[in-house]
């Protein structure tokens, strides 16, 4: 009872009197509620490049960690909630189908799309001087989910994810038949058209202590597309996707 | 109110009068509660080899799917709950540390160990004619977590995972410094002892439509250990672990 009253006071302060009220208003529009812990939600929008450039060192470590920590929390919760949703929706489906469907929903590209639909880009732009990269969007969404969980608990966040993200912006049925395995699509096309296809590692470099691969797609010996990523499979997928658009155009 | 009363009746029936009462008693010992939905918990212990061998075809598909479906659900919930636990326990740790710690807790080997501690092997043996493989243990634990969630909801299952698994059987602090990257340990040992080391793919086969690799570890040209798995990295890890015990003995 006392806690509820104190939280009400804090929300009123956050919304009308704090110097963060502009941010709180934007958040309120996205979330549908006024947060008690504004600092938590601010962290969700801080990208590490911004922190490295602008904050004092003493603040730096704390905020930097917290930002990626929220992503870690939100990412795992999103996986579970989406997984449970699919489990209940497809009561006859096997584990393989459920896993594939989930990965189509929680993959980076979809999260970036969802974050854009929600208008997170506008909030992100206010917090970060650097240009927005697509992955900053998806990361902010994951961190935001982590923050909502810490503020509101499981039941609320689960409902939020399902109603405000999954059901609002994703056409689940069209995802069922959506084939995002571009490499296998390309292999199939080459087989049908009796072309020889080859994926080659063009170069391997170190980036931030991690291996980074540049992969080329060669059709009948001619380089059709290249792509880079931290693992070969992802780079092959991107290269194959580009190659497919080249072929179809 | 009515639902509570009906559930109480069902529990009483399950515990004292049903033909499953022996199973229910065993479950009760493991879980600390009498389940309402006994069928759900039975499914958690059915391994697909048993189903393929013994059940009628009409039942087969349904039960087979459900078993792996429960694993899918439990696996994702376990990841989130363990992730949140680590998030709260290590408030200064970065996302990399949290991810590593989580993977040490939810990895197959640890799940098999936990299932053994809980005595799931005895229940599994009653349900399956086939010899128990270690991975059947971990899978059953995941499926059991899925079943507990469906019966009892999030709050209860979260508490169960933390109190009855993580805090009861895992020494978190000793895991912090536990290095489970055997390949890197072996590479380090070879460098220190000026030995040449080489990992080679000895053979590649198809098993259940998936590639299976046999990897050999060669120290100064001599084969020290071999291991098989569905991906090269895992096979290398297992082979390196065996090689390390060879060296240290």
């Amino acid at each position: 009872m006392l806690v509820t009253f104190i939280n009400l006071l804090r929300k009123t302060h956050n919304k009308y009197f704090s110097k963060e009220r502009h941010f709180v208003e934007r958040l309120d529009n996205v979330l549908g509620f006024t947060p008690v812990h504004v600092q938590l939600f601010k962290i969700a929008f801080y990208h590490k490049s911004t922190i490295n450039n602008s904050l004092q060192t003493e603040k730096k470590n704390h905020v930097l960690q917290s930002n990626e920590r929220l992503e870690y929390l939100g990412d795992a919760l999103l996986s579970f909630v989406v997984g449970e949703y699919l489990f209940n929706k497809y009561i006859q489906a096997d584990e393989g189908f459920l896993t594939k469907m989930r990965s189509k929903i929680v993959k980076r590209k979809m999260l970036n799309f969802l974050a854009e639909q929600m208008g997170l880009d506008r909030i992100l732009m206010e917090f970060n001087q650097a240009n927005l990269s697509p992955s900053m969007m998806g990361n902010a969404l994951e961190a935001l989910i982590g923050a909502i969980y810490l503020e509101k608990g499981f039941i609320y966040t689960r409902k939020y994810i399902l109603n405000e993200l999954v059901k609002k912006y994703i056409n689940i049925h069209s995802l069922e038949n959506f084939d995002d395995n571009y490499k296998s699509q390309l292999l199939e096309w080459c087989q049908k058209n009796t072309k020889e296809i080859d994926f080659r590692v063009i170069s391997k470099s170190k980036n931030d202590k991690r291996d980074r691969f540049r992969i080329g797609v060669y059709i009948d010996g001619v380089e059709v597309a290249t792509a880079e990523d931290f693992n070969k499979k992802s780079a092959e997928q991107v290269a194959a996707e580009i190659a497919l658009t080249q072929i179809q155009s």
Side-chain angles (χ1 to χ4, degrees), chain A residues 182-192 197 199:
Chain A
Y182 300 108
K183 188 179 173 185
S184 79
Q185 286 177 50
L186 187 61
L187 292 174
E188 210 173 289
W189 183 89
C190 288
Q191 202 170 19
K192 212 187 267 174
I197 180 164
F199 289 83

Side-chain angles (χ1 to χ4, degrees), chain A residues 171-230:
Chain A
N171 184 337
I172 296 286
H173 290 292
S174 75
L175 273 189
E176 284 169 24
N177 301 312
F178 175 68
D179 181 5
D180 63 348
N181 189 344
Y182 300 108
K183 188 179 173 185
S184 79
Q185 286 177 50
L186 187 61
L187 292 174
E188 210 173 289
W189 183 89
C190 288
Q191 202 170 19
K192 212 187 267 174
N193 295 279
T194 56
K195 306 265 186 200
E196 269 197 19
I197 180 164
D198 199 11
F199 289 83
R200 293 180 211 155
V201 180
I202 300 177
S203 63
K204 188 177 153 184
S205 56
K206 285 266 179 196
N207 187 321
D208 214 3
K209 285 187 191 164
R210 291 171 68 193
D211 287 332
R212 199 169 165 85
F213 302 91
R214 179 156 206 91
I215 299 277
V217 183
Y218 296 80
I219 296 182
D220 282 346
V222 179
E223 185 184 290
V224 185
T226 67
E228 262 190 46
D229 207 327
F230 288 108

Side-chain angles (χ1 to χ4, degrees), chain A residues 5-118:
Chain A
F5 181 66
I6 292 173
N7 281 346
L8 186 67
L9 280 185
R10 289 182 67 179
K11 281 189 211 177
T12 311
H13 168 78
N14 292 340
K15 191 164 183 173
Y16 300 107
F17 307 108
S18 80
K19 55 181 184 167
E20 322 279 8
R21 60 183 183 276
H22 178 65
F23 170 63
V24 171
E25 196 191 324
R26 280 201 181 280
L27 256 188
D28 205 331
N29 289 339
V30 168
L31 300 174
F33 63 86
T34 306
V36 174
H37 309 93
V38 178
Q39 188 55 28
L40 193 63
F41 287 88
K42 278 177 78 175
I43 289 169
F45 291 99
Y46 271 123
H47 187 253
K48 61 180 168 190
S49 66
T50 301
I51 292 155
N52 286 333
N53 291 334
S54 63
L55 296 185
Q56 302 122 9
T57 323
E58 60 182 315
K59 275 191 182 174
K60 204 160 130 174
N61 287 328
H62 178 67
V63 182
L64 168 61
Q65 282 186 8
S66 304
N67 178 6
E68 296 189 328
R69 283 164 54 86
L70 283 177
E71 267 175 60
Y72 162 86
L73 193 66
D75 167 73
L77 181 54
L78 185 68
S79 261
F80 172 62
V81 170
V82 169
E84 190 210 357
Y85 169 72
L86 296 170
F87 180 93
N88 290 324
K89 185 170 178 70
Y90 298 99
I91 52 170
Q92 294 289 339
D94 66 18
E95 176 267 347
F97 174 83
L98 296 174
T99 302
K100 256 187 215 158
M101 280 295 285
R102 179 173 55 195
S103 75
K104 288 178 192 174
I105 295 174
V106 302
K107 72 176 181 180
R108 195 72 10 215
K109 224 170 161 178
M110 182 65 94
L111 298 186
N112 298 340
F113 163 78
L114 290 173
E116 206 187 319
Q117 296 301 310
M118 295 167 71

Side-chain angles (χ1 to χ4, degrees), chain A residues 26 45-47 50 116 119-133 136-137 140:
Chain A
R26 280 201 181 280
F45 291 99
Y46 271 123
H47 187 253
T50 301
E116 206 187 319
L120 298 192
D121 43 351
R122 270 163 286 150
I123 306 183
L124 269 167
M125 275 191 288
E126 285 173 28
F127 275 84
N128 303 280
Q129 291 91 344
N131 288 334
L132 291 190
S133 73
M136 277 168 73
M137 303 275 291

